[in-house]
Amino acid sequence: MGRRISGRVEVPGGKRELVRRFWLGMGIAAVVAFVVVPFGYAITGLHTDILIGAGCGIAIGVGIGLRGGPQSGLWTGILVGSIVGVAAALLAGLVPGDPDGILVPQVLALAVGLIVGFRGPSITGYRDLSRESLIVSVLLALGLLPAWIAQGRFSEGLLDDSTLLPAITIAFFAWIALTGGLLSHRREGWVDTRPPALLVGGAALLPALLVVGMATGALQEGRGLSGIDLVVPTVVILGFFVAAPAIAFLFGRTVITWLEPRLRVYGHLVDYLRVMWIPIGAFAVGYLTIIGLFAGFYGTLERFLPGAFSNAGTGITDWLSFSFFAALGQDFAGMKPVSVSAKILVGTHLILSAGWAVVLFAAVMSSIGPKLDKIAQRLDGEGDDSP
């Protein structure tokens, strides 16, 4: 229980931090879902594919965001989660049948590459990279779990073969950590000269089991493959394990390295929006008021002078829509002013809308100009102090 001080209850620091992290995670999840779900439905109509993309993006975005701290956690989680979710939805929608085998290593490598791009200086060796890869692989398994359940993967209980899916997903972390380390060991600050033997062994175990399973027939119906029949699948598996994750890792690292300094500019927009929020709201209220007034004028004119508009509307919704497009100088659903009075009314509407924007812009800039100058001077000072 919190202590009561001067008539108010003091919330313990631990609970306050827990509440803050809860709302941080909810915010990241909401934004990532808002980005990924429409993108997924633009690719495929399968609900499970959308669930794969949204689940992967939300799980990794929230997990990474909560580890990023109060300053960078929100935007880091949203950016990483959105990119991962869109990539997972794209792979799930494009790959026919069961996409897990192709999706897991590529999405995992992409996510780890994004994290390395964000936290480059703090990841100095294979141990750091292995830790990040393990965390992301667990988050990825959690993100895929709702889709697996929706697909009925665990319908036969704990003895079902599908119970191995989370373990296999997590087992990919060693291979991704080794691949990412080999592609990063020449970067400045990297301390390891060679990968640990345990990591190499763990990374080689999974593709070796796949090749052995194909040779013995454990992964297919009927007899196993041998000779030339085994060469092509083996080359495909090795290429799939080596080339594709390496490309995904490099892509993620390159994209985030290029984006981060450019997206940092958006952090300064908050300062400007605090100053401009009231003027922007005032402009919106006035602009919408003009639209509403002229919607009534248009409806009244058509009521008393039928035929003033071609394809005239029949309700307030039609007149509001026509008024909105008329303020922009655009046609609406074939409805046009026909009579002289209707054309004069539309022209007056256009003049008032444009005049409102110009006059209010001038008034706003004269009133908030000094505040914007102070913000710019402060940001310039911070830039000069940065190393």
Side-chain angles (χ1 to χ4, degrees), residues 148-231:
W148 288 335
I149 294 175
Q151 292 171 345
R153 297 293 187 91
F154 306 104
S155 58
E156 298 182 10
L158 296 178
L159 298 179
D160 187 7
D161 293 340
S162 296
T163 55
L164 295 176
L165 287 173
I168 294 175
T169 301
I170 296 173
F172 273 100
F173 92 92
W175 184 267
I176 301 303
L178 178 63
T179 301
L182 293 175
L183 295 172
S184 304
H185 73 282
R186 295 183 180 275
R187 301 179 71 184
E188 183 179 356
W190 192 267
V191 297
D192 294 332
T193 57
R194 61 181 62 184
L198 186 61
L199 179 62
V200 175
L205 181 61
L206 197 55
L209 289 177
L210 289 177
V211 173
V212 171
M214 295 183 65
T216 59
L219 299 180
Q220 55 184 344
E221 297 180 358
R223 63 180 181 84
L225 299 177
S226 61
I228 190 64
D229 294 331
L230 185 60
V231 172

Side-chain angles (χ1 to χ4, degrees), residues 175 203-204 206-208 210-211 214 230-246:
W175 184 267
L206 197 55
L210 289 177
V211 173
M214 295 183 65
L230 185 60
V231 172
V232 174
T234 301
V235 172
V236 172
I237 289 177
L238 292 178
F240 169 72
F241 269 91
V242 176

